[in-house]
């Protein structure tokens, strides 16, 4: 116990926590996305899938607890690093030019809080306070038919895309996986995973808005 | 003043052992009661401070840089010699000793040189154990190359950064001792004077470069490893901050200064590009292994692009004049020949002050023979560096090179123990005069710095402290200390308050450098030296009258730092010229035009087989000469010929 | 090789000491040869300032060959200026165009307090090395150098990591002012070599602890440090440092040096 505590006290330890908790969340996001593909199989399929999940109480609550823990660790470490890094930087340059970093990396501290708000909204919208309890398909389609709600989902998923890209790429580095021979693949893999999930997730509200998916 | 070399006698291979056996020791429990001041944190100073700390002495180490890791030893590129004979090409301690004495043109002390050659093997062991990443062969064993014309491969190297890696090894050892609390490190602190009490060196006066605070530091002894005085030339390959202040202050307190006129001019530096130039950059001598040196045969070709000059119009002057050694002749020969061809009007490159001071170093043959990849592997970082500075790619067009001051063989006179003529004041590395005679072999500077720092000083310092045991206590209020502090304060006051302030110190330094370079540089003559001796005092007076420093002494003031250093270069420069004038022969780095035979240096062993050690008399123009005769029992003086 | 003359406008950060707020001052640098180095251009400006009784710009420099690591300033928002793999002392004016405005700022980081103008205090980097960036070997006790062969590939990698000159550009360029690249380079250099194995675990822990204690930020994998590094020290060493630290935590023994701290 002493050892883990010591590790977490270092900046590197905090990053390891961010990477591991992040990977748990990435795993969930992938599963969540695959499950949501049931939307395209129709009302019955999606609702059945939802009911199946609801009926597996231990799995459901196990996952929820794990996610809660992962989110908690991710956010606490992020906040701790953020405040430390702000202090370390001190004054800013009058002129500054980025040489290597990218948009995704620079905006992690923005995409993160946006995602947190989006997750809260998403939980309220579909899980905690749904319009029609138990009718997942109907909630989704009616919700996305409202352009404002669809807009929230589209924004949230774009933030997710950027956050995932830098997160996956960065987690590998933090966990020590960096070898000049494989680094190009590492970047490609991060792009592929984050792009697939983002485009897939975006397809749901867009399909509803475009009228491909209806009640 | 008596010059006692304190060399042991007997067979040369046993002298160092014998000396160690008969020397005094300090018991481990007593070591922490002794405070040793080490000034300088390069290879010699850093290694000495770390080793002394490790032994248990209470060490205070000072450097002017912001970190001990930045001492100028870091800039050595080529490598370090050691008589390991890993290449099975017949090398041995004796051969390294022989080459060094001969390379020094028979102007060094045999016992010192033999010890240096013996210790060279221990240095490599020590450095490897510290994690210095020397180049290796595919079999995992250490790689070597032949360097600077040596006929065996005995040079160890770490890419083009051997000095850096060796210094980091010493720095890391020093860091370990700082952490252990045995060494107190004081960076950004400059030694401005020596404290002498009761005839012994007992401390130094420093200025904290951040706050301007002047403080005395009292100790049982002082070790100066403050490097060479090459910046007397203004333009040299030394770092901008390299200076002679510490050794010069010691000299003014009675430490004899030996052989100041022995300065080494390195043949392969990037030529000056304009009068604003602040320093010259060395390109490793290893480049001469694969590069061919030439200039155009016809004066009208000097402004042509080198590619447009046909083969028959190229004058490969080293290959033609020295068929046996060709482009690998020793440094002084290569340098002097570059001077001759350029003063004949055959120099190439940019015109500065009416002269083109540059010759070509051409790699096209080597690239054709070995391929660009091999050349890139060998010299890639040097070529990149050249391109950054000169703006041309040596893969496509020949490099332009010209000699520049690189190393000073002269320095504080020391005995076999590296003790100066002031008891308790020791000196190691380039700051002393000891091992290189009139000329230093390539890749031997790192070797000497580390031999002094790791192996000689830790031992001889113990011997001194073992002999004196307890010194009378000295506190900061003693007149000898307060006088030294006051002298420093007065000098700063004088510099800051010149009667007719006009110019920054660089203005005077450039002028001084120009005098020394033209009259006491690669090629010297009586007339020129006498002229220099008339000009220098005049310029010095002008300096003290017109030097201008803005700001105050109680803050970081880089102009004040430079002014103090330039002031000492004036006096040292004068001594150099006096020494060069007095030495009526040509040997090693000292070439007198009157003493030559068919362009080759003419040594005069009858009259000058001695070390010239100069004593300060209070008047910089009239130092007193003492001679330490040199005897050669093992290597009989022969004429150096590279024809 | 052709020479041109440039006229530049410099906006230089001037600060009297660590507690001074600091401000920009504008100076003209006229007739600057394209062959000058950047620091020679500043020398010319300074000599002119002195002649006009104005305080010259303080900046650190020494070898001017790109190896000692003394120099360093942010030129137009880039540590060591626009040329890749080049310290500011090796930057030459041919990289600039006539009429350019040039902004000069010191390394800015809480771990590097400003001493004066463009001079900062980088002693924190020394303290990181003091915390464990060495192999403990007593002078004279080393064994024969060729007793332990080291594969060329490993020796070359160690040399890659060892090239760091300690200039601090990585800290200056990092959005988080992290000293990870500096610390990682030394940890990697020593952990790659067989000689460095005995202290390997301790070293990672004590050096990382010191790096954090100096108030540097954490690495968030932007890669700015690698891009700014004049020696091209690679980000892969940070990954290796992370591995070394986790490994040392997992394999920790009691009674080690870091245990005593």
């Amino acid at each position: 116990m002493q050892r883990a505590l010591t590790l977490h006290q270092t900046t590197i330890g905090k990053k390891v926590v961010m990477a591991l908790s992040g990977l748990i969340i990435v795993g969930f996001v992938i599963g969540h996305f695959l499950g949501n593909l049931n939307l395209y199989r129709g009302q019955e399929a999606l609702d059945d899938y939802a009911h199946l999940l609801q009926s597996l109480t231990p799995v459901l609550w196990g996952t929820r607890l794990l996610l809660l823990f992962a989110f908690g660790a991710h956010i606490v470490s992020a906040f701790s690093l953020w405040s430390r890094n702000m202090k370390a930087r001190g004054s800013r340059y009058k002129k500054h030019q980025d040489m290597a970093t990218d948009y995704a990396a620079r905006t992690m501290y923005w995409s993160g809080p946006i995602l947190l708000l989006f997750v809260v909204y998403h939980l309220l919208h579909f899980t905690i306070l749904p319009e029609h309890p138990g009718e997942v398909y109907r909630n989704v389609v009616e919700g996305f038919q409202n352009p404002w709600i669809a807009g929230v989902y589209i924004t949230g998923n774009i933030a997710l895309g950027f956050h995932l890209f830098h997160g996956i790429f960065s987690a590998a580095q933090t966990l020590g996986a960096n070898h000049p021979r494989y680094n190009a693949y590492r970047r490609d893999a991060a792009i592929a995973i984050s792009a697939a999930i983002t485009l897939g997730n975006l397809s749901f509200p867009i399909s509803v808005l475009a009228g491909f998916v209806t009640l | 003043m008596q010059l006692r070399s304190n060399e042991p006698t007997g067979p040369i291979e046993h002298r160092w052992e014998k000396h160690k056996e008969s020397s005094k020791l300090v018991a481990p429990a007593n070591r922490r009661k002794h405070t040793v001041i080490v000034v300088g944190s390069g290879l010699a100073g850093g290694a000495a401070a770390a080793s002394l700390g490790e032994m248990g002495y209470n060490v205070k180490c000072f450097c002017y840089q912001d970190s001990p890791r930045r001492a100028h030893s870091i800039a050595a590129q080529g490598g370090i010699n050691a008589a390991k004979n890993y290449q099975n090409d017949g090398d041995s301690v004796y051969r390294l000793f022989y080459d060094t004495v001969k390379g020094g043109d028979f102007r060094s002390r045999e016992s010192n040189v033999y010890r240096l050659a013996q210790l060279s093997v221990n240095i490599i062991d020590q450095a490897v154990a510290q994690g210095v990443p020397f180049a290796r062969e595919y079999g995992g064993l250490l790689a070597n190359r032949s360097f600077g014309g040596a006929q065996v491969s005995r040079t160890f190297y770490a890419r083009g950064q051997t000095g850096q890696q060796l210094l980091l090894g010493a720095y890391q050892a020093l860091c370990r001792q700082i952490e252990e609390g045995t060494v107190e490190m004081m960076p950004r602190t400059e030694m401005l004077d020596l404290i002498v009490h009761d005839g012994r060196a007992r401390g130094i006066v420093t200025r904290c470069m951040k706050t301007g605070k002047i403080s005395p530091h009292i100790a049982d002894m002082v070790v100066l490893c403050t490097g060479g005085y090459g910046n007397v030339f203004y333009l040299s390959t030394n770092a901008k901050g390299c200076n002679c202040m510490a050794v010069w202050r010691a000299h003014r307190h009675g430490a004899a200064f030996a052989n100041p006129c022995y300065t080494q001019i390195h043949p392969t530096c990037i030529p000056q590009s304009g009068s604003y130039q602040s320093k010259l950059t060395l390109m490793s001598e290893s480049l001469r292994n694969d590069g061919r040196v030439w200039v155009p045969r016809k004066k009208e070709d000097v402004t042509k692009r080198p590619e447009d000059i046909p083969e028959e119009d190229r004058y490969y002057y080293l290959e033609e004049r020295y068929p046996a050694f060709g482009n690998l002749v020793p440094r002084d020969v290569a340098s002097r020949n570059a001077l001759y061809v350029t003063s004949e009007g055959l120099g190439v490159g940019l015109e500065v002050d009416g002269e083109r001071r540059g010759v070509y170093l051409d790699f096209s043959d080597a690239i054709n023979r070995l391929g660009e990849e091999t050349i890139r592997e060998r010299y890639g970082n040097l070529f990149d560096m050249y391109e950054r500075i000169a703006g041309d790619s040596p893969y496509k067009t020949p490099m332009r090179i010209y000699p520049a001051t690189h190393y000073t063989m002269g320095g504080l006179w020391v005995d076999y123990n590296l003790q100066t003529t002031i008891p308790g004041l020791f000196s190691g590395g380039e700051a002393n005069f000891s091992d290189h005679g009139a000329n230093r072999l390539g890749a031997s500077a790192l070797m000497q710095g580390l031999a002094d720092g790791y192996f000689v000083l830790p031992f001889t310092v113990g011997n001194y402290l073992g002999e004196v045991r307890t010194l009378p206590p000295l506190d900061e209020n003693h007149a000898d200390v307060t006088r030294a502090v006051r002298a420093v304060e007065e000098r700063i006051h004088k510099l800051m308050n010149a009667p007719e302030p006009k110019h920054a110190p660089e203005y005077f330094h450039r002028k001084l450098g120009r005098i020394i370079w033209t009259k006491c540089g690669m090629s010297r003559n009586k007339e020129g030296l006498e002229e220099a001796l008339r000009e220098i005092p005049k310029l010095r007076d002008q300096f003290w009258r017109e030097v201008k420093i803005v700001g105050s002494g109680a803050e970081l003031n880089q102009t004040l730092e430079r002014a103090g250093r330039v002031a000492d270069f004036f006096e040292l420069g004068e001594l150099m010229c006096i020494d060069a004038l007095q030495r009526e022969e040509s040997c090693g780095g000292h070439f007198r035009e009157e003493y030559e035979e068919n362009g080759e240096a003419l040594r005069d062993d009858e009259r000058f087989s001695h070390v010239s050690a100069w004593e300060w008399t209070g008047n910089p123009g009239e130092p007193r000469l003492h001679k330490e005769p040199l005897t050669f029992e093992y290597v009989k003086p022969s004429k150096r010929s590279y024809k | 090789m052709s020479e041109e003359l440039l006229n530049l406008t410099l906006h230089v950060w001037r600060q009297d000491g660590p507690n001074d707020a600091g401000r920009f001052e504008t100076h003209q640098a006229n007739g600057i040869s394209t062959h000058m180095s950047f620091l020679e251009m500043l020398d010319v400006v300074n000599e002119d300032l002195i002649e006009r009784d104005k305080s010259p710009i303080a900046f650190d420099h020494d070898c001017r060959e790109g190896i000692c690591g003394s120099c360093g300033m942010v030129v137009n928002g880039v540590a060591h200026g626009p040329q890749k793999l080049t310290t500011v002392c090796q930057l030459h004016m041919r990289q600039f165009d006539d009429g350019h405005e040039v902004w000069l700022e010191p390394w800015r980081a809480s771990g590097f307090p400003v001493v004066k103008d463009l001079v900062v205090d980088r002693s924190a980097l020394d303290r990181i090395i003091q915390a464990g960036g060495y192999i403990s070997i007593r002078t004279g006790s080393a064994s024969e150098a060729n007793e332990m062969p080291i594969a060329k590939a490993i020796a070359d990698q160690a040399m890659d990591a060892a090239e760091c000159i300690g200039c601090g550009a990585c800290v200056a360029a990092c959005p988080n002012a992290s000293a990870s690249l500096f610390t990682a380079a030394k940890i990697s250099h020593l952990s790659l070599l067989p000689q460095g194995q005995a202290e390997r675990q301790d070293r990672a822990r004590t050096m990382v602890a010191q790096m954090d204690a100096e108030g540097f930020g954490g690495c968030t994998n932007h890669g700015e440090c690698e891009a700014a590094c004049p020696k091209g020290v690679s980000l892969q060493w940070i990954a290796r440092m992370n591995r070394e630290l986790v490994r040392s935590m997992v394999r920790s023994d009691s009674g080690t040096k870091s245990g005593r701290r």
Side-chain angles (χ1 to χ4, degrees):
Chain A
M1 205 55 225
Q2 181 66 31
R3 286 175 199 164
L5 198 67
T6 319
L7 179 63
H8 186 244
Q9 282 165 346
T10 64
T11 46
I12 295 175
K14 289 187 185 26
K15 285 294 295 177
V16 170
V17 170
M18 300 239 10
L20 292 175
S21 55
L23 289 179
I24 292 173
I25 300 168
V26 171
F28 170 76
V29 168
I30 293 172
H32 185 62
F33 160 66
L34 293 175
N36 285 351
L37 286 174
N38 282 308
L39 181 72
Y40 294 123
R41 291 172 61 213
Q43 185 161 13
E44 206 173 320
L46 184 63
D47 287 352
D48 285 352
Y49 170 68
H51 292 139
L52 173 74
L53 291 185
Q54 289 289 341
S55 64
L56 300 169
T57 314
V59 178
L60 181 70
W61 279 99
T63 312
R64 281 177 174 172
L65 281 177
L66 179 67
L67 280 176
L68 196 64
F69 176 75
F71 266 100
H74 203 74
I75 291 166
V76 167
S77 298
F79 184 77
S80 156
L81 278 168
W82 172 76
S83 57
R84 190 192 162 84
N85 292 348
M86 288 294 111
K87 225 169 100 192
R89 172 101 306 282
S91 57
R92 300 204 155 267
Y93 293 103
K94 157 95 182 168
K95 276 265 173 192
H96 181 72
Q97 198 184 322
D98 288 323
M99 303 294 285
T101 187
D102 51 36
Y103 182 79
R106 270 200 317 274
T107 53
M108 287 302 269
Y109 289 133
W110 287 105
S111 56
I114 290 173
L115 276 177
L116 179 63
L117 291 177
F118 172 64
V119 168
V120 171
Y121 174 80
H122 180 48
L123 286 176
L124 288 173
H125 183 209
F126 285 141
T127 313
I128 302 168
L129 299 167
E131 202 117 322
H132 313 282
E135 294 179 67
V136 176
Y137 187 84
R138 191 172 161 197
N139 285 330
V140 171
V141 176
E142 278 184 6
F144 288 169
Q145 277 170 344
N146 176 339
W148 290 105
I149 294 177
V152 168
Y153 277 82
I154 289 169
T155 313
N157 273 294
I158 290 172
L160 176 68
F162 284 113
H163 204 81
L164 273 183
F165 164 65
H166 182 72
I168 295 170
F169 179 72
S170 192
Q173 165 84 4
T174 301
L175 295 175
N178 178 324
H179 192 287
R181 210 179 302 158
Y182 306 116
N183 279 350
Y185 301 120
R186 182 156 71 96
R187 199 178 172 83
D188 291 348
I191 291 174
I193 298 172
S194 49
I197 292 176
T198 308
L199 294 176
N201 278 347
L202 285 176
S203 77
F204 304 132
I206 290 169
S207 303
V208 174
L209 275 182
F212 294 135
V213 177
T214 50
L215 273 178
Chain B
M1 181 183 285
Q2 285 283 317
L3 300 177
R4 281 197 209 90
S5 73
N6 294 319
E7 289 169 84
T9 49
I12 199 161
E13 58 274 26
H14 299 310
R15 284 183 194 171
W16 176 233
E17 274 312 307
K18 186 178 148 191
H19 187 66
K20 285 205 284 187
E21 279 158 19
S22 60
S23 294
K24 297 272 191 305
L25 295 174
V26 180
N30 290 332
R31 290 184 199 150
R32 67 186 160 77
K33 295 176 193 160
H34 291 290
T35 301
V36 180
I37 284 177
V38 179
V39 186
S41 66
L43 287 183
S51 303
L52 289 165
E54 224 170 66
M55 291 163 82
Y57 294 104
N58 183 22
V59 180
K60 282 182 168 184
C61 184
F62 298 81
C63 69
Y64 75 76
Q65 296 89 349
D66 72 326
S67 161
R69 69 181 289 152
R70 309 201 198 285
H72 196 56
S73 309
I74 204 157
Q77 298 167 353
I80 177 166
N81 286 334
K84 283 281 197 188
N85 192 29
Y86 284 158
Q87 304 306 319
N88 193 27
D89 52 5
D91 198 14
S92 64
V93 168
Y94 186 84
R95 192 173 286 276
L96 177 55
F97 155 71
Y98 176 90
D99 287 354
T100 307
V101 172
K102 182 173 176 240
D105 224 356
F106 305 95
R107 290 294 174 264
S108 47
R109 213 185 267 147
E110 277 191 334
S111 307
N112 284 57
V113 178
Y114 197 90
R115 174 176 67 187
L116 177 66
Q118 281 177 309
L119 293 175
S120 69
V121 298
N122 306 49
I123 295 169
I124 301 303
D125 297 342
Q126 180 69 22
V128 166
Q130 286 171 342
V132 171
F134 282 123
R136 284 175 186 269
E137 296 165 352
Y138 282 100
L141 300 180
L142 291 159
N144 293 110
R145 60 182 171 202
S146 160
F147 194 81
Q151 291 178 320
V152 290
S153 292
R154 61 160 77 102
T155 304
F156 294 77
Y157 60 99
R159 298 221 176 121
Q161 287 123 285
T162 318
Q164 180 200 25
Q165 292 308 317
L166 289 169
L167 182 64
L168 292 180
Y171 160 75
Q172 286 163 205
L174 183 63
C175 282
R176 178 171 157 243
Q177 294 311 308
I178 296 169
E179 173 79 358
E180 295 279 332
T182 60
V183 177
E184 186 187 352
M185 185 69 220
M186 274 162 278
R188 279 200 209 274
T189 310
E190 188 161 37
M191 166 176 166
L192 297 188
D193 212 348
L194 183 73
I195 297 171
V196 180
H197 170 64
D198 209 9
R200 292 178 187 276
R202 288 298 302 276
I204 60 172
V205 181
T206 61
R207 178 174 181 271
C208 167
M209 291 154 77
K210 273 157 78 169
T211 62
K213 190 171 185 288
I214 309 290
S215 339
H217 299 269
I218 293 163
D220 292 350
M221 60 182 298
V222 176
V223 182
L224 302 183
C225 301
T226 52
Y229 51 88
N231 271 350
V232 67
F233 290 91
Y234 184 68
L235 283 182
S236 81
T237 66
N238 285 5
K240 285 298 284 175
C242 289
N243 68 84
C244 70
M245 183 120 62
V247 292
W248 197 253
R249 297 289 112 192
H251 174 61
R252 289 178 63 124
H253 277 282
F257 204 101
N259 301 335
C261 78
Y262 293 159
T263 51
Q264 184 172 72
I265 312 287
H266 196 288
T268 50
C269 301
I270 303 177
Q272 196 182 352
S273 63
S275 53
Y276 47 78
Q277 187 106 10
S278 62
K279 77 153 278 160
L280 296 169
T281 301
L282 176 92
M283 304 303 291
S284 170
E285 192 164 22
S286 59
L287 290 169
R288 284 200 284 148
N289 288 343
D290 287 307
R292 296 179 71 195
V293 178
W294 63 276
V295 289
R297 275 191 202 279
K298 304 181 202 152
K299 277 185 198 171
E300 58 268 30
D301 283 352
V302 297
T303 48
K304 277 193 188 166
R305 293 190 331 153
E307 303 84 282
D308 298 340
I309 301 174
E311 191 65 24
E312 64 274 15
D313 288 343
R314 299 178 176 193
Y315 179 21
Y316 295 94
Y317 56 91
L318 290 178
E319 295 173 21
E320 286 184 26
R321 293 182 186 176
Y322 306 93
F325 283 78
N327 295 299
L328 294 173
V329 291
R331 291 177 173 181
D332 56 318
V333 179
S335 299
R336 222 158 32 237
N337 279 284
L339 173 69
Y340 296 150
V341 293
T342 51
S343 39
E344 284 164 27
L346 300 175
V348 297
L350 294 156
E351 198 172 315
V352 182
D353 306 328
E355 257 194 86
R356 291 180 200 280
R357 288 187 284 261
V359 300
Y360 290 124
L361 180 63
D362 195 337
F363 291 89
S364 51
D365 280 1
I367 290 173
N368 289 339
R369 192 174 70 245
L370 304 163
E372 193 170 312
E373 241 350 271
T374 311
I375 295 298
R376 191 181 302 277
E377 205 169 276
R378 284 186 195 168
Y379 310 111
N381 58 344
L382 295 171
F383 279 26
D384 292 347
M385 186 163 168
Y386 180 84
E387 191 171 351
R388 273 198 295 274
I389 294 169
D392 293 330
S393 165
Y395 296 107
K396 299 195 185 89
T397 187
M399 270 186 189
R400 284 171 294 113
I401 56 164
Y402 198 66
T405 309
H406 174 53
Y407 189 89
T408 51
M409 282 73 70
L412 289 179
W413 183 91
V414 289
D415 66 4
Y416 190 69
N417 288 316
L418 306 185
Q419 183 168 235
T420 67
T421 51
I422 300 176
L425 181 70
F426 286 65
S427 180
E430 192 181 347
N432 72 27
F433 89 108
S434 71
D435 299 343
H436 304 297
N439 199 12
R440 180 176 65 74
L441 292 181
S444 282
L446 302 179
M447 174 172 72
Q448 186 225 335
L450 288 177
D452 287 358
Y454 282 130
F455 301 111
V456 183
L457 283 167
F459 185 78
T460 58
V461 159
N463 179 41
Y464 173 78
L465 293 172
E467 254 170 32
V468 298
R469 290 179 180 272
T470 45
L471 287 153
L474 179 65
D475 74 59
E476 294 188 3
N477 300 318
H478 192 281
D480 288 341
V481 180
T482 52
R483 200 180 319 114
V485 171
R486 211 167 40 246
V488 164
E489 285 165 350
E490 279 165 9
R491 188 165 185 263
I492 290 175
H493 182 81
K494 198 176 160 197
L495 283 169
M496 304 274 316
N497 296 284
E500 304 159 37
K502 277 201 188 96
H503 305 292
E506 284 70 28
Y507 173 86
F508 303 97
H509 196 176
R510 266 196 295 270
K511 289 192 156 194
L512 172 70
R514 199 68 210 142
I515 296 174
I516 308 265
W517 176 249
T518 49
K519 290 163 184 158
C520 195
M522 278 182 275
S523 194
R524 304 152 177 185
N525 60 49
K526 183 161 185 275
E527 199 187 334
L529 289 165
E530 283 172 347
E531 214 171 276
L533 285 169
R534 282 191 299 274
E535 290 171 355
I536 294 170
K538 263 192 235 156
L539 188 62
R540 180 172 56 224
D541 290 346
Q542 193 198 352
F543 168 83
W544 283 102
R545 207 169 52 242
E546 296 180 357
V547 67
K548 184 165 167 187
I549 301 164
V550 182
S552 88
E555 58 173 339
L556 179 77
N557 190 333
Q558 296 173 321
T559 321
L560 173 62
E561 293 161 18
R562 285 196 291 269
R565 296 166 190 169
V566 174
D568 281 346
F569 278 133
F570 275 109
E571 295 180 3
L572 174 66
E574 194 170 353
L575 184 66
M576 265 176 79
C577 295
I578 292 171
D579 187 43
L581 187 63
Q582 184 272 335
R583 191 166 279 277
E584 294 175 331
E585 63 162 350
S586 294
C587 63
H590 170 63
F591 187 82
R592 281 283 298 267
E593 289 163 11
E594 303 93 321
Y595 306 98
E596 55 111 23
E597 204 174 45
N598 307 324
E600 292 301 303
L602 199 61
R603 226 174 45 226
D604 185 348
D605 291 337
E606 289 278 300
R607 292 172 60 216
F608 291 100
S609 186
H610 62 74
V611 175
S612 300
W614 298 90
E615 184 186 355
W616 175 257
T617 57
N619 177 353
E622 290 172 5
R624 190 173 297 130
L625 175 64
H626 300 268
K627 295 176 182 175
E628 181 201 337
L630 293 170
T631 48
F632 294 89
E633 295 172 61
Y634 291 86
V635 188
K636 288 294 165 210
S638 60
K639 201 165 127 184
R640 220 172 52 124
S641 173
Y642 293 94
K643 284 271 182 190
Chain C
M1 221 171 69
S2 62
E3 183 177 22
E4 282 166 55
L5 296 181
L6 311 173
N7 294 326
L8 302 167
T9 306
L10 305 182
H11 303 283
V12 187
W13 183 258
R14 305 301 300 264
Q15 186 174 338
D16 293 337
N19 300 320
D20 180 30
R23 74 236 160 250
F24 280 98
E25 222 173 66
T26 303
H27 296 281
Q28 286 300 319
N30 294 336
I32 300 297
S33 159
T34 44
H35 289 310
M36 275 188 198
S37 73
F38 196 81
L39 299 189
E40 282 163 357
M41 181 273 292
L42 286 180
D43 290 343
V44 170
V45 170
N46 271 346
E47 257 190 85
D48 179 55
L49 285 173
I50 292 171
E51 307 249 323
R52 292 192 289 125
D53 290 312
K54 295 208 169 112
S55 157
I57 303 156
F59 60 94
D60 259 327
H61 64 99
D62 204 20
C63 78
R64 298 202 176 187
E65 295 183 14
I67 192 75
C68 76
S70 294
C71 68
M73 59 187 79
V74 172
V75 182
N76 285 340
V78 181
H80 284 304
Q83 199 176 6
K84 285 233 160 206
L85 298 173
T86 305
T87 54
V88 72
C89 68
Q90 295 256 288
L91 179 67
H92 277 64
M93 297 312 293
R94 61 180 77 91
Q95 303 292 330
F96 294 83
D97 292 329
D98 191 29
H100 253 181
E101 302 223 354
V102 182
W103 293 79
L104 294 182
E105 298 178 68
W107 287 168
R108 295 191 193 273
S110 302
F112 289 167
V114 172
V115 175
K116 190 180 179 185
D117 299 346
L118 305 173
V119 176
V120 299
D121 179 351
R122 287 170 291 195
S123 53
L125 300 184
D126 286 318
R127 290 189 292 272
I128 292 174
I129 301 294
Q130 286 158 22
Y134 46 75
I135 290 171
S136 299
I137 171 78
R138 197 166 283 115
T139 301
S141 63
S143 55
E144 159 55 41
N146 250 353
E147 232 165 48
M148 193 190 292
I150 302 173
K152 186 174 188 300
I154 299 290
D156 285 350
Q157 276 190 55
M159 181 64 221
D160 287 341
E163 286 207 26
C164 168
I165 58 173
C167 65
C170 46
V171 177
C174 175
N176 309 327
S178 168
S180 290
L181 193 64
F182 171 82
T183 312
K186 189 46 68 188
I187 289 178
S188 302
H189 160 210
L190 298 177
S191 76
L192 277 160
L193 295 170
Q195 289 86 353
Q197 296 310 304
E199 293 163 292
R200 184 173 169 184
Q201 293 170 27
D202 257 352
R203 184 181 302 120
R205 255 173 310 173
T206 53
M207 288 183 73
V208 168
Q210 189 64 35
M211 169 181 90
D212 285 353
E214 294 291 348
F216 293 114
C219 173
T220 48
N221 307 319
H222 288 277
E224 288 291 316
C225 54
E226 184 185 54
C229 178
K231 294 291 145 183
V233 173
S234 160
L235 270 185
Q236 65 166 311
W237 308 126
I238 297 184
R240 177 176 275 271
M241 168 171 77
N242 297 343
R243 282 203 301 273
E244 289 290 320
L245 183 75
V246 172
R247 183 185 134 110
S248 77
M249 293 293 179
V250 175
R251 297 195 185 177
S252 173
D253 321 310
S254 57
T256 58
K257 188 175 152 204
S258 53
R260 289 207 313 266
R261 278 170 161 254

